[in-house]
């Protein structure tokens, strides 16, 4: 006998919980299946633990700069054991709260690995579950990459690195995306000699080149080794010492480290789900969905990292809400994901924050645009704070000045971007940014300078 529910959500992470909450608010009988540990990537091994340890790195960096601010020089000694203990305490607190939410009597929670038996039936351990609709929200796992000698020599992924309690003397980081850069800077700031090796011509290859270039300059200034435009060749070494050979500027060179962080991306976690039995199409290893989060099987939806569209938590939540709503929509239109306001923040220093269209995306899509930037090095409040790296760039429509996107590299970029998200949410223009009051002296004031350049170019003043 199978247990029957209106909807079964596979995965109780950010996307799955959002889907379950939304479906339950619509009066559905909701079951969640999770194999555990409960809490989801963001809380257990993603956003929250990394931001907890990065706070230590920020403080260490400021302490080292004490003299610049007229304070006596400060000796900084990092105790990774204590840093990890603090992080673990916070993660426990966040995870306990999420587990309480998942155990809410509104839902039936099943522990175990889910595997489809047919489009309407799921196996979870010795149980079978039937449902009218399903949401797949099983998240992602680190990519396995084929570099000669890498797996024999040994490496860590971000999952394992978060539990390291002895600070390594040196580390080679493979990759130049958000995870590589946040971890690379954290370890460098607690005293590890870090070398980052990135294949593309600049860090953060999915963003405009000047973003990655500004970050690279800041990293080099901090003493972090950064190689871009490389091709990884092979890895040799032992438990204690590893060497990565790569091509750079036409020569073979190498970098040494006590540890290798393999941060070459994550892939959707669909192992064992038997999506073939459910009739759900998998394209390039990801569950393929349309803009309503529907898979190739009309009553099965998917949300979050398993779709491999963004790998960003608030988007996983948005997608989960859509999937939870649409899966129960028997009549009436389905809701669609709106990618206009896609936002990303990378918590390095300087921080990186983006919303909407970049110049690169406008060019690729043939979208007419104008862009203007202003550097933090020339902005009074940033100068008072001693934060001279980076810039604010606005991208606007030449016809009318509607804000199409923004990129910020600099202090508190992750907070500053929210003003631009709000203006874009209301379909505002660069002229609106000029009319809105900005307190002086604040970091936010910097936004008015590129807005002014664009308004002049467009003839809005
Ligand atoms: C180091 C790191 C830092 C990050 N920092 C940020 C950040 O600062 N900001 C940000 O927006 N994003 C960040 N992310 C990305 C963010 O964490 C993810 O996009 C988000 O957590 C994905 O949520 P999800 O619900 O799709 O998947 P998950 O949270 O991974 O949930 C999937 C759930 O499915 C369960 N599951 C998997 N397979 C099965 C199965 N077969 N049967 C039953 N259950 C199963 C798992 O146990 C898990 O609970 C970071 C990621 C990493 C790795």
């Amino acid at each position: 006998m199978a247990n029957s529910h209106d909807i079964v959500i596979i995965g109780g992470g950010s996307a799955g919980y959002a889907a379950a909450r939304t479906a339950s608010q619509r009066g559905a009988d909701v079951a969640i299946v999770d194999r555990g540990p409960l809490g989801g990537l963001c809380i257990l091994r993603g956003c929250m633990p990394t931001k907890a340890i990065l706070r230590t790195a920020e403080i260490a960096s400021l302490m080292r700069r004490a003299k610049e601010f007229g304070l006596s020089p400060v000796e900084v000694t990092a105790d990774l054991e204590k840093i990890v203990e603090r992080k673990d305490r916070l993660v426990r607190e966040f995870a306990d709260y999420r587990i309480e939410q998942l155990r809410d009597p509104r839902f039936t929670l099943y522990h175990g690995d889910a595997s489809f038996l047919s489009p309407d039936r799921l196996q979870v351990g010795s149980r079978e579950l039937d449902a009218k609709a399903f949401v797949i929200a099983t998240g992602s796992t680190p990519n396995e990459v084929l570099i000669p000698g890498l797996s024999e020599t040994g490496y860590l992924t971000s999952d394992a690195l978060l539990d390291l309690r002895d600070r390594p003397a040196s580390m080679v980081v493979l990759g130049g995306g958000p995870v590589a850069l946040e971890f690379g800077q954290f370890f460098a700031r607690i005293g590890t000699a870090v070398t980052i090796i990135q294949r593309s011509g600049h860090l953060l290859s999915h963003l405009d080149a000047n973003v990655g270039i500004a970050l690279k300059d800041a990293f080099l200034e901090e003493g972090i080794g950064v190689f871009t435009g490389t091709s990884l060749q092979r890895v040799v070494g032992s438990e204690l010492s590893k060497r990565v050979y790569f091509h750079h500027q036409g020569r073979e060179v190498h970098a040494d480290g006590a540890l290798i962080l393999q941060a070459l991306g994550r892939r959707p976690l669909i192992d064992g789900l038997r999506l073939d039995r459910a009739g759900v199409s998998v394209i390039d290893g990801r569950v393929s969905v349309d803009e309503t989060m529907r898979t190739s099987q009309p009553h099965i939806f998917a949300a979050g990292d398993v779709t491999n569209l963004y790998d960003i938590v608030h988007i996983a939540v948005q997608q989960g809400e859509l999937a939870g709503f649409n899966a129960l929509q028997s009549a009436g239109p389905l809701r669609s994901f709106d990618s206009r306001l896609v936002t990303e923040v990378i918590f390095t220093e300087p921080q990186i924050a983006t919303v909407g269209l970049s110049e690169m995306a406008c060019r690729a899509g043939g979208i007419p645009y104008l862009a203007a930037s202003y550097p933090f090095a020339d902005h009074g409040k940033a100068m008072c704070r001693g934060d001279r790296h980076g810039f604010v760039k606005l991208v606007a429509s030449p016809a009318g000045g509607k804000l199409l996107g923004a990129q910020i590299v600099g202090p508190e970029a992750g907070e500053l971007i929210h003003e631009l998200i709000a203006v874009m949410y209301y379909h505002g223009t660069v002229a609106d940014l000029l009319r809105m009051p900005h307190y002086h002296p604040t970091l936010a004031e910097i936004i008015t300078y590129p807005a002014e350049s664009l308004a002049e170019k467009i003839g809005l003043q």
Side-chain angles (χ1 to χ4, degrees), residues 11 14-15 34-35 40-42 46-47 51 112 114 137-139 304-305 311-313:
S14 303
D34 200 297
R35 65 172 170 208
L41 178 65
C42 174
C47 332
K51 270 74 258 183
T138 47
D305 284 9
D311 287 12
I312 290 173
V313 81

Side-chain angles (χ1 to χ4, degrees), residues 314-336:
H314 75 278
I315 297 179
V317 171
Q318 255 173 285
Q319 293 177 336
E321 287 168 353
L322 279 177
F325 180 90
N326 288 339
L328 298 172
Q329 189 72 335
S330 48
L334 299 190
R335 293 181 181 166
S336 293

Side-chain angles (χ1 to χ4, degrees), residues 187-198:
F187 276 96
R189 286 182 163 189
I190 64 162
T192 298
V194 173
T195 309
I196 295 172
I197 305 174
Q198 155 81 331

Side-chain angles (χ1 to χ4, degrees), residues 102-307:
L102 289 170
R103 294 208 171 120
D104 188 296
R106 283 180 299 164
F107 313 126
T108 308
L109 179 62
Y110 295 96
H111 289 273
D113 273 294
S115 180
F116 279 98
L117 294 168
S118 72
D120 306 300
R121 185 164 285 195
L122 203 64
Q123 173 117 40
V124 182
S126 57
R127 288 175 200 269
E128 293 186 11
L129 309 182
D130 281 348
K132 295 178 202 129
F134 294 86
V135 175
I136 304 166
T138 47
S140 60
T141 189
N143 263 332
E144 296 95 32
V145 286
L146 288 174
I147 298 167
L150 179 61
S151 52
E152 296 84 344
T153 308
Y155 64 87
L156 297 182
T157 63
S158 64
D159 285 1
L161 207 57
L162 281 167
D163 292 331
L164 201 70
R165 284 164 188 267
D166 289 323
R167 183 181 60 77
S170 53
M171 179 185 290
V172 180
V173 179
L174 307 182
V179 172
L181 301 175
E182 289 184 5
F183 274 101
Q185 191 173 42
F186 166 74
F187 276 96
R189 286 182 163 189
I190 64 162
T192 298
V194 173
T195 309
I196 295 172
I197 305 174
Q198 155 81 331
R199 186 179 57 180
S200 306
H202 56 89
L203 298 176
L204 299 168
S205 55
H206 61 299
L207 302 177
D208 284 350
N210 56 352
V211 172
I213 290 167
L215 189 65
K216 181 176 173 179
D217 288 346
F219 273 27
L220 291 174
E221 207 173 274
E222 274 191 34
I224 301 172
V226 183
F227 292 89
T228 50
T230 69
S231 146
L232 290 170
Q233 295 301 303
R234 64 190 189 283
V235 180
V236 295
S238 62
E239 176 91 2
L240 297 176
S241 158
K242 300 159 199 326
R243 175 165 287 185
V244 179
Y245 288 93
F246 56 101
H247 284 159
H248 182 242
Q249 295 177 343
R251 289 189 308 128
E252 186 174 86
V253 288
H254 63 258
D256 293 329
L259 267 184
I260 295 175
L261 165 61
Q262 191 271 81
L264 295 166
R266 296 177 68 89
R267 65 168 177 86
L269 182 52
I270 52 171
D271 310 351
L273 276 178
R274 294 303 308 262
L275 295 176
D276 53 324
R277 289 186 187 152
V280 169
S281 293
V282 173
I283 298 177
D284 293 333
R286 68 183 181 86
V287 178
S288 166
V289 287
D290 64 15
E291 66 286 352
T292 69
M293 310 317 295
R294 180 176 251 161
T295 69
S296 55
Q297 182 63 267
H299 68 292
I300 303 182
F301 290 72
D305 284 9
V306 78
T307 65

